[in-house]
Amino acid sequence: MTTSTSRTTSTGINVWRQRVGYGISDLSCNLVWQVITLYLMFYYTDVAGLSAAAVGVLFLVTRVVDGFTDVGMGIVIDKTHTRWGKSRPWILIGAFPFAIFASAAFFMPDLPTGGKLVYAYITYIGLSLAYTMVNIPIASILPSLTRSAQERTNLATSRIIFSFIGATAVSTLTMPMVGALGGGSQAKGFFLTMSTFGLIAIALFATSFLNVRELKHEESSRAISLREAFVSLKSNTYWHIFAVNILFMWGSFFLQTGALIYYFTYNLERTDLVSVIAGISTLVPLGGTLVTPLVARIMTKRTIYMVSSSILIAGLVLIVLAGATIPVLLAGAAIAAFGFGLRQSIYFSMQADPIDYGEWKSGVGAAGLLCSINGFIGKVAMAVTGALAGFLLDLSGYVPNGDQPASALLAIKGNYLLIPIVMNLISMAIMAFYKLDKIYPQIRKELDERLKTNDGES
């Protein structure tokens, strides 16, 4: 068996080819999902003409429903047995519906308001389901790509680097593309822009499928029942901590990114900075991501999480203090983005460790289910923060495309800065209880010994 630093993995595929192939999968996701995160609420309220409150309910309902499908997708993955593995086939299968529903979500037919809302529910639910089909396998496949903790960090880093490339492309190109392709019509521009991103995503998902390999011995000879899988999760203390933290870590992110265009359009009246800040928020994190494998050699994963969260919070506080002082505001955005990049990279590396802990403690491997529940919790966070943002805007007297009262400006500032700061502080408090790093080397050693024993008996 080769090590993570050798030319090939234990599957025989070139190690860098697999890292790039794995990373490209999240680039594909972000070409579409970053548009959803940054612009869908704005599209619904200011382009399609739906009320902020109605959009808030739409986000809440759709994302909770989608969260349950995440769990279903995890069960499907755990029961999948093909010559390509468990997770890998779904990356390709889900690519086509993902692109189709992405285009449909940004095409609003000329209907009465009620009809527009029904259409929005159908297309957004469809897009969310398609996203589940491709995104859950990306998370669940990581433990099956390598047993090495360091290589998992390398793979997770590659994933985040490519995700930021996709997110940066979306952040910097979307509004210019909307203007160029729409010819003055934002409705037409958003539809053609998303259609373009969707087609590119299909090609990249296919490339990812061709360049990753699952370890064959990760395939269990005995099917694991759903009851066994859930029982194994009950005793997985570190996954419980990790899962609760998802609500606050990702909730703060979704709330802030959704409010970005509102904050710079109405609070600062600098729409020209929307693409600039969005670009900083997606390009600068690459710096944090690139140093993650190096920092991981001298710090535990939890320590990295705490340090990076502190950097992120410091950047957000600086933005609050900056007000309309643009150089200071830009510096704060860059600091926050660097901390986010470092934290997100270590987060995805950490995600695989509670899976190993659960298998070590219960003897049951349920990577698909565990990752899908993580996805479900992330969708709940997205649902709650999306609804919260919509309700706060509606209650504050927000006027689409109009002059905003002071109460609406405060609500927008709360969504973009104040509430995310509090949520990130709570996230750090939760992760203070995560102490898996101390015992993980011994866990990995014992799991490797079990695999050798099983291989010898087979």
Side-chain angles (χ1 to χ4, degrees):
M1 182 180 298
T2 56
T3 66
S4 61
T5 57
S6 62
R7 186 173 180 79
T8 61
T9 67
S10 56
T11 60
I13 193 170
N14 182 280
V15 66
W16 278 102
R17 178 180 167 187
Q18 175 144 288
R19 289 174 186 172
V20 172
Y22 183 63
I24 285 175
S25 64
D26 219 14
L27 190 162
S28 310
C29 285
N30 272 276
L31 283 178
V32 172
W33 207 250
Q34 184 73 2
V35 182
I36 301 299
T37 305
L38 286 173
Y39 301 115
L40 185 60
M41 187 168 186
F42 178 81
Y43 174 83
Y44 280 151
T45 59
D46 288 44
V47 179
L50 300 175
S51 73
V55 175
V57 174
L58 164 64
F59 282 2
L60 180 64
V61 172
T62 301
R63 290 166 181 170
V64 169
V65 169
D66 182 35
F68 282 103
T69 64
D70 281 0
V71 178
M73 189 67 213
I75 294 170
V76 169
I77 289 172
D78 284 334
K79 292 183 177 295
T80 297
H81 298 278
T82 73
R83 65 189 181 95
W84 299 288
K86 290 176 172 288
S87 303
R88 185 180 165 218
W90 295 102
I91 295 174
L92 185 61
I93 294 171
F96 294 94
F98 185 52
I100 292 170
F101 276 106
S103 297
F106 280 86
F107 173 80
M108 184 58 71
D110 186 13
L111 297 169
T113 301
K116 288 182 177 180
L117 191 57
V118 170
Y119 178 84
Y121 270 95
I122 293 172
T123 52
Y124 189 32
I125 288 175
L127 175 58
S128 297
L129 294 177
Y131 179 73
T132 295
M133 288 180 67
V134 293
N135 192 255
I136 295 299
I138 292 172
S140 64
I141 199 174
L142 180 56
S144 297
L145 295 179
T146 178
R147 301 192 199 116
S148 165
Q150 182 62 40
E151 181 59 18
R152 286 179 181 178
T153 298
N154 293 337
L155 286 164
T157 300
S158 176
R159 174 183 176 180
I160 301 305
I161 288 173
F162 278 97
S163 75
F164 282 134
I165 291 173
T168 300
V170 167
S171 300
T172 55
L173 296 177
T174 296
M175 295 311 293
M177 287 177 66
V178 168
L181 297 176
S185 169
Q186 282 194 322
K188 179 181 178 182
F190 270 112
F191 170 69
L192 292 177
T193 298
M194 184 58 97
S195 298
T196 301
F197 288 148
L199 289 172
I200 296 172
I202 290 176
L204 293 176
F205 277 127
T207 302
S208 179
F209 172 82
L210 293 172
N211 287 279
V212 297
R213 296 289 188 276
E214 295 185 43
L215 298 173
K216 293 182 179 179
H217 56 252
E218 294 292 338
E219 295 278 2
S220 175
S221 59
R222 181 179 69 86
I224 302 300
S225 71
L226 186 58
R227 181 179 179 278
E228 286 178 301
F230 275 108
V231 168
S232 71
L233 296 185
K234 287 179 63 177
S235 61
N236 196 332
T237 304
Y238 293 109
W239 174 73
H240 297 162
I241 296 170
F242 189 88
V244 172
N245 177 59
I246 291 173
L247 288 170
F248 295 93
M249 174 189 165
W250 285 114
S252 63
F253 171 77
F254 293 135
L255 190 62
Q256 186 182 24
T257 52
L260 185 153
I261 190 171
Y262 292 95
Y263 186 76
F264 287 93
T265 299
Y266 298 112
N267 290 56
L268 299 185
E269 297 182 349
R270 292 292 303 269
T271 55
D272 58 307
L273 290 178
V274 172
S275 294
V276 175
I277 297 297
I280 289 174
S281 300
T282 52
L283 181 61
V284 174
L286 280 172
T289 300
L290 288 170
V291 303
T292 302
L294 300 176
V295 177
R297 296 180 185 274
I298 58 175
M299 293 184 185
T300 65
K301 293 180 181 181
R302 188 189 70 163
T303 300
I304 297 173
Y305 187 92
M306 295 299 197
V307 170
S308 59
S309 295
S310 299
I311 295 172
L312 170 58
I313 292 170
L316 296 182
V317 170
L318 188 58
I319 295 175
V320 173
L321 297 176
T325 307
I326 302 305
V328 180
L329 187 151
L330 295 176
I335 291 170
F338 181 85
F340 177 76
L342 182 59
R343 186 178 71 173
Q344 188 180 18
S345 183
I346 205 62
Y347 162 85
F348 283 115
S349 178
M350 292 172 76
Q351 186 171 238
D353 295 348
I355 296 175
D356 286 342
Y357 175 80
E359 183 177 355
W360 169 76
K361 187 164 187 175
S362 67
V364 176
L369 179 63
L370 191 149
C371 289
S372 68
I373 296 179
N374 288 348
F376 167 76
I377 297 170
K379 296 291 175 60
V380 170
M382 196 175 188
V384 172
T385 53
L388 176 64
F391 292 146
L392 285 178
L393 288 179
D394 193 64
L395 291 173
S396 68
Y398 171 76
V399 182
N401 297 302
D403 294 327
Q404 305 303 329
S407 55
L409 296 178
L410 178 60
I412 292 170
K413 185 176 183 179
N415 287 342
Y416 184 59
L417 294 169
L418 304 180
I419 301 175
I421 288 173
V422 173
M423 294 181 73
N424 278 296
L425 288 170
I426 296 173
S427 170
M428 292 179 67
I430 293 169
M431 290 305 288
F433 296 94
Y434 183 91
K435 300 177 181 179
L436 179 56
D437 294 331
K438 295 180 179 180
I439 61 174
Y440 183 78
Q442 182 61 32
I443 290 172
R444 186 64 261 173
K445 180 181 178 182
E446 292 185 20
L447 286 175
D448 287 342
E449 290 174 353
R450 291 181 195 176
L451 284 170
K452 290 178 182 179
T453 301
N454 292 337
D455 288 343
E457 293 175 353
S458 59

